[in-house]
Amino acid sequence: MKHTPVLYEEALKHLSIKQDGIYVDCTLGGGSHAAGVLSRLKTGHLYAFDQDDFAIDKAKEELKKTGNRYTILKENFRNLASALQEQGVKEVDGVLYDLGVSSFHFDDAKRGFSYRHDAPLDMRMDTERSLTAKDVVNTYSADELKRIFFSYGEERFAPQIARNIVKSRQKQPIETTFELVDLIKASMPQKALSKKGHPAKRVFQALRIEVNDELSALKESLEAAIDLLKPDGRIVVISFHSLEDKIVKDLFKEASSVDHPDFLVTMPEERAPFERVQKKVIRPSDAEMAENPRAKSAKMRVLRRRKEND
Ligand SMILES: C[S@@+](CC[C@H](N)C(=O)[O-])C[C@H]1O[C@@H](n2cnc3c(N)ncnc32)[C@H](O)[C@@H]1O
């Protein structure tokens, strides 16, 4: 299935693309956002990151007709600064993040992202990394599993699920997505099972975030992106998880505040070097949410580096 990008027009609008600018798409995926950026460039350049070979192949197809003003980097976006430096890039006009996985990750049964397909428990976006979901499920302590399911998945039956996983793996390792789905279901009361939404959704999300170390990668990358931004440059982030949004919100707030010890009064002429383009989070329209279920949890935030004379 083709990946339908969320908040497509809004992201491009808020990047405020200059024809000669240097832009970074940290999450190339199927390449739709990247194609949008490229169609607005004349002499500028786009550097596009993805850690997933399959996504890169898809994007190459999508970008075939967009000319050659782009460079694809197979990298984790946590290495943003060093990877750009290798390309001779020290500052940029805009950085885009459209976080999470693509629809085709879920559709590709053998990647183990989906509770709907039976497959080995994998969930790595970068298949060269060693930690898989199978390692997490079979080696983490019950307490660690509980913490992950609670904090990354907001799963209220985390203790029961963690306990059952540990009990089951003492007999034999848990190898597949369907084995895990059965264990999750067996850990929940009937009432919870009959609720809307798949019972394994939250645990699968939590495992994916752990396996790909998604939250630390985002924080490190955003800190680097803030440093790389030129005056009038922007960072646009679309996130799908409350913990991701919290990282973005806190970093953008810090960058756009003038930091003072409590006993000092802020002088009116003092300004932070950055501003939040819209303080309130930007959400997809009702129409987009009705059309694309992925859009329901999407939140967009935008940070801009001020110009000297702003
Ligand atoms: C939601 S998709 C992006 C879709 C894209 N905007 C489009 O228009 O098709 C997210 C992509 O980011 C990649 N990704 C997620 N985290 C990453 C990271 N830390 N480093 C590099 N790529 C990452 C995933 O592999 C996936 O292909």
Side-chain angles (χ1 to χ4, degrees), residues 87 117 218:
Q87 301 292 319
H117 305 293
L218 174 61

Side-chain angles (χ1 to χ4, degrees), residues 31-61:
S32 303
H33 278 119
V37 174
L38 286 166
S39 70
R40 287 158 174 80
L41 293 183
K42 222 176 197 168
T43 53
H45 201 88
L46 174 72
Y47 293 88
F49 286 67
D50 209 293
Q51 58 182 337
D52 185 319
D53 285 314
F54 188 66
I56 289 177
D57 287 346
K58 285 248 175 201
K60 279 183 180 160
E61 272 299 306

Side-chain angles (χ1 to χ4, degrees), residues 3-6 8 25-34 49-52 55-56 75-78 96-105 125-126 212-214 217-218 240 294:
H3 178 83
T4 312
V6 173
Y8 175 82
D25 182 350
C26 275
T27 49
L28 176 63
S32 303
H33 278 119
F49 286 67
D50 209 293
Q51 58 182 337
D52 185 319
I56 289 177
E75 275 282 356
N76 191 307
F77 60 53
R78 76 182 336 144
L96 172 66
Y97 296 82
D98 174 17
L99 297 167
V101 284
S102 297
S103 310
F104 48 76
H105 281 124
M125 290 190 213
D126 178 353
N212 296 290
D213 196 15
E214 293 180 25
L218 174 61
F240 296 87
R294 259 189 94 244

Side-chain angles (χ1 to χ4, degrees), residues 245-263:
D245 183 54
K246 187 169 178 339
I247 290 171
V248 183
K249 185 177 161 190
D250 291 352
L251 277 177
F252 283 11
K253 191 168 172 207
E254 193 187 314
S256 56
S257 316
V258 182
D259 199 16
H260 278 302
D262 288 346
F263 57 88

